[in-house]
Amino acid sequence: MPGMTTPTSAGRPARFSSVEEVRHRLDAVGYLVSDATATTVFLADRLGKPLLVEGPAGVGKTELAKAVAAATGAPLIRLQCYEGVDEARALYEWNHAKQLLRITAERDGGGWDALRHDIFTDEFLLPRPLLAAVRSEEPAVLLVDELDKADVEIEGLLLEILSDFQVTVPELGTLTATHRPFVVLTSNATRELSEALRRRCLFLHLDYPDVALEEEIVARAVPELDARLRESVVRLVHRLRDLRLRKAPSVAETVDWARTLLALGVEDDMTEELVVDNLGVLLKHQDDIVRASAALGLDG
């Protein structure tokens, strides 16, 4: 595989040998990148640094991690963050039911001291995403998705992992990664992440693509759509994103709109009636639909 023989600053084989290779290999798995994105991915790999990707919902932050995994043939390990996610969900927990069965089975055995050491072993450990990434037997991509939705305590849990790629399990000691994962943390910036976390990462801001790039994305996803209609689709979506909406259309919804036109057999320009009847493909709140209809001069 290209790029796997050049050592990184962390002393391990690199995933990519150049910025151009990043662009080429991500393109090959269907993810189109800007110069800034390709460069930042290359540097995150070469320097062995986690990549913090911020930006509005629906611009391809999560898909970037998936694309890196697909392009490098690495397993993707994902921690989906949410309010209340804790160490047991993110790092590890003990299989208490299995431990209890073992205790019951050994009730008349060699005593508690022997049993205590026996039930706190790998056999009873349930690794969650963070520990699974550290202990992976092959280089993995670790995606910590929507970190801003998690409580601040989770950031503290991440600091040891992102600094040294190791995890301390009191009963087992410190477990260090054999293969340093490629780490992508995503955030919609609904809350400010700590400076300690940011210092450990390279930063990339992803915004909605410009018109030319989004047209190319739509062309890749819906090649059957007429080029003139494709241009109209992207132009409409960009007009909607300029409005003060609760949720602007994502790139995926642009593609959905293109597929909608194809499914409806539209061959000419989009009519006012067509747009009004199908705004729910692009907008997911009624007040957004009302606001957009008024701004676009539609009758809906």
Side-chain angles (χ1 to χ4, degrees), residues 12-295:
R12 56 162 178 75
R15 295 169 176 85
F16 304 102
S17 63
S18 66
V19 173
E20 187 55 38
E21 189 188 346
V22 173
R23 182 192 301 279
H24 175 74
R25 290 169 66 184
L26 294 186
D27 179 80
V29 297
Y31 191 91
L32 302 178
V33 295
S34 66
D35 291 341
T37 300
T39 301
T40 310
V41 168
F42 171 74
L43 290 175
D45 176 50
R46 185 57 58 92
L47 300 176
K49 302 274 283 184
L51 178 56
L52 171 60
V53 188
E54 281 190 345
V59 296
K61 301 185 298 296
T62 299
E63 293 305 314
L64 176 58
K66 293 179 179 179
V68 171
T72 58
L76 177 72
I77 300 173
R78 180 175 182 173
L79 171 61
Q80 180 63 54
C81 295
Y82 53 89
E83 185 178 354
V85 65
D86 58 10
E87 183 173 321
R89 298 289 184 270
L91 189 55
Y92 73 91
E93 62 180 329
W94 293 102
N95 188 334
H96 300 302
K98 191 173 181 180
Q99 286 174 322
L100 183 59
L101 286 173
R102 184 60 174 267
I103 291 170
T104 302
E106 296 289 334
R107 192 173 349 191
D108 300 323
W112 169 246
D113 285 341
L115 187 59
R116 180 182 60 190
H117 293 294
D118 188 42
I119 65 173
F120 288 105
T121 60
D122 270 344
E123 181 183 354
F124 300 93
L125 187 66
L126 297 175
R128 300 310 184 196
L130 298 182
L131 181 57
V134 167
R135 303 192 78 187
S136 177
E137 295 182 356
E138 57 183 313
V141 173
L142 170 63
L143 168 61
V144 182
D145 211 7
E146 298 185 302
L147 179 57
D148 53 322
K149 290 186 177 179
D151 298 329
V152 176
E153 289 74 18
I154 290 296
E155 291 185 42
L157 183 63
L158 283 169
L159 293 181
E160 179 186 16
I161 298 173
L162 299 184
S163 294
D164 304 312
F165 290 92
Q166 63 183 27
V167 171
T168 300
V169 179
E171 297 85 354
L172 299 179
T174 300
L175 308 175
T176 303
T178 303
H179 304 284
R180 179 171 291 203
F182 185 98
V183 182
V184 178
L185 303 97
T186 75
S187 168
N188 296 332
T190 58
R191 71 170 175 84
E192 189 64 33
L193 302 178
S194 71
E195 290 301 322
L197 181 75
R198 289 181 179 276
R199 282 197 303 272
R200 286 162 172 79
C201 303
L202 296 185
F203 177 77
L204 174 67
H205 179 80
L206 279 188
D207 210 334
Y208 296 109
D210 61 27
V211 170
L213 181 56
E214 193 154 14
E215 283 190 25
E216 189 173 352
I217 292 170
V218 173
R220 292 282 190 92
V222 194
E224 306 90 343
L225 192 68
D226 179 78
R228 186 165 44 84
L229 273 176
R230 182 169 67 243
E231 181 182 347
S232 297
V233 165
V234 174
R235 188 169 61 245
L236 171 64
V237 170
H238 277 251
R239 288 182 66 188
L240 292 174
R241 288 180 186 149
D242 288 336
L243 304 177
R244 297 175 61 86
L245 302 176
R246 290 175 61 184
K247 183 189 177 300
S250 69
V251 176
E253 286 157 346
T254 305
V255 173
D256 286 344
W257 181 260
R259 288 174 174 153
T260 296
L261 299 184
L262 198 65
L264 294 175
V266 178
E267 296 179 355
D268 300 318
D269 288 337
M270 296 180 291
T271 64
E272 179 178 304
E273 181 182 10
L274 174 73
V275 174
V276 169
D277 288 346
N278 295 283
L279 267 179
V281 176
L282 291 170
L283 305 176
K284 305 306 165 68
H285 298 279
Q286 179 59 27
D287 52 346
D288 280 351
I289 291 175
V290 171
R291 185 176 294 109
S293 297

